[in-house]
Amino acid sequence: MASSTVFVSWMVLGLVMATSTSQVEAARAFFVFGDSLVDNGNNNFLVTTARADSPPYGEALGSVPTLPYLSPLLKGDRLLIGANFASAGIGILNDTGIQFARLADLVGYDQAKRIVNNALVLITVGGNDFVNNYYLIPFSPRSRQFSLPDYVRYLISEYRKLLMRLYDLGARKVLVTGTGPMGCVPAELAMRSPGGQCAAELQRAAALYNPQLVDMINELNSQYGSNMFIAANTRQQTTDFINDPAAYGFTTSKVACCGQGPYNGLGLCTVASNLCPNRDEYAFWDAFHPSEKANRIIVNMILSGSADYMSPMNLSSLLALDTKTRT
């Protein structure tokens, strides 16, 4: 693979492929906001180490349905099918850089509003606010400012503002994913848990944060009088295959496919890293991110999961309901 190959987030690609090939509706834009879990190339255009444009990252695809917002290829009618605004490393407390100005310039304000109104919006943030902020170093500034319960409440209040801003911009079908079991990723096992147990404090943070996120989303739906926000319980789905990897076809849920050090959980995935012979046997691709196979499991949960995983409904139900109301 050439070093210019663009890394594709498999959660984003899976949702694009699943929704575009369903019977729900073919012409629907897809806008993505979030961190490295859904960044499909924006950081490759920025001066940062949080990139994925070098081997062994990258996949040979014939086309990319939704391009990174910073890509020079995102011009003209390509913007009408959506854009990916995600950037590796960001969190709730960062300026998300929401901007639909280019779309309005292309087709006019009224048409841009209709496109956004009919679009599916995915937003995936939160994990970095814990891993790379509150728990980044001992006695971090945020941990001195807030107790963990107060910090979680603060994050939820800020996230609420982001979602309300999306609503003000016209978004009416918004998929919000929670954090995974943050203490169980290979990076945290390597740094905090020599015995291989999930890091207790990060697990506590996830257990506090995710239920409050669902409650906040339900409150917004009540406030707006419609189920326009849906929450994906990615923490529970990921916990399922971490606790019983064999049931999902994995040989390990502790060791990353690509990395170095204990559990391949230290540093970046590079050409010099240990690389597993079969990535489909690994629940995690690198120190933090699920593998392609794991992301496909998560996408299937988002599309058709039960109330244990999706609130107040799964994505297929939301899009089908929307289609009925428009016909």
Side-chain angles (χ1 to χ4, degrees):
M1 290 174 288
S3 61
S4 61
T5 302
V6 175
F7 169 69
V8 175
S9 163
W10 279 99
M11 180 184 292
V12 172
L13 181 62
L15 284 171
V16 169
M17 294 175 66
T19 56
S20 64
T21 58
S22 70
Q23 298 299 312
V24 174
E25 183 180 355
R28 185 189 297 277
F30 186 34
F31 294 101
V32 181
F33 301 92
D35 54 28
S36 60
L37 289 170
V38 289
D39 179 359
N40 72 339
N42 280 302
N43 275 29
N44 298 339
F45 300 97
L46 302 176
V47 180
T48 174
T49 59
R51 299 161 64 120
D53 60 348
S54 299
Y57 288 92
E59 300 292 335
L61 298 176
S63 64
V64 180
T66 302
L67 288 172
Y69 182 74
L70 296 180
S71 171
L73 300 177
L74 186 64
K75 60 179 74 172
D77 289 348
R78 287 304 301 267
L79 188 57
L80 299 180
I81 66 170
N84 187 310
F85 298 86
S87 177
I90 73 159
I92 297 169
L93 302 183
N94 295 101
D95 180 357
T96 56
I98 297 170
Q99 42 188 315
F100 291 113
R102 284 173 63 185
L103 183 61
D105 290 343
L106 180 64
V107 297
Y109 176 82
D110 290 341
Q111 179 63 7
K113 191 84 170 180
R114 282 191 290 271
I115 291 172
V116 174
N117 190 258
N118 293 329
L120 171 64
V121 176
L122 167 65
I123 181 165
T124 298
V125 290
N128 283 321
D129 294 282
F130 294 102
V131 173
N132 290 323
N133 192 332
Y134 195 85
Y135 291 110
L136 180 61
I137 57 174
F139 308 107
S140 68
R142 289 293 187 186
S143 67
R144 294 197 304 270
Q145 181 183 6
F146 294 102
S147 68
L148 179 60
D150 287 342
Y151 184 63
V152 168
R153 283 189 285 270
Y154 174 55
L155 289 181
I156 294 298
S157 69
E158 293 300 302
Y159 207 161
R160 183 187 183 100
K161 294 174 186 176
L162 291 182
L163 296 180
M164 292 176 71
R165 175 62 177 147
L166 284 174
Y167 177 87
D168 291 341
L169 288 166
R172 294 297 182 270
K173 287 163 285 295
V174 182
L175 169 62
V176 181
T177 67
T179 71
M182 297 178 288
C184 301
V185 300
E188 301 305 331
L189 297 184
M191 293 186 294
R192 304 175 189 270
S193 182
Q197 295 81 23
C198 297
E201 192 62 16
L202 278 161
Q203 289 295 88
R204 177 174 171 244
L208 287 171
Y209 172 82
N210 285 288
Q212 291 186 46
L213 178 64
V214 173
D215 289 344
M216 180 266 285
I217 287 172
N218 289 334
E219 290 170 3
L220 282 179
N221 285 335
S222 296
Q223 175 181 326
Y224 292 128
S226 178
N227 290 327
M228 55 190 66
F229 297 99
I230 61 173
N233 189 347
T234 47
R235 171 174 168 255
Q236 184 58 55
Q237 178 65 84
T238 308
T239 297
D240 288 348
F241 58 70
I242 284 176
N243 289 343
D244 190 3
Y248 294 86
F250 300 118
T251 59
T252 178
S253 59
K254 295 182 182 293
V255 180
C257 175
C258 183
Q260 47 277 317
Y263 308 102
N264 277 346
L266 297 179
L268 300 174
C269 172
T270 71
V271 291
S273 297
N274 301 318
L275 185 63
C276 69
N278 184 357
R279 65 190 65 190
D280 284 345
E281 295 180 354
Y282 289 70
F284 287 95
W285 160 247
D286 62 14
F288 288 101
H289 304 102
S291 63
E292 174 189 342
K293 181 175 178 179
N295 267 325
R296 289 185 183 277
I297 294 170
I298 294 170
V299 167
N300 286 335
M301 176 270 292
I302 288 171
L303 284 168
S304 57
S306 68
D308 292 334
Y309 300 99
M310 299 298 299
S311 178
M313 67 185 74
N314 60 44
L315 181 57
S316 294
S317 297
L318 175 72
L319 297 181
L321 181 64
D322 176 65
T323 300
K324 290 179 181 177
T325 60
R326 294 171 57 197
T327 56

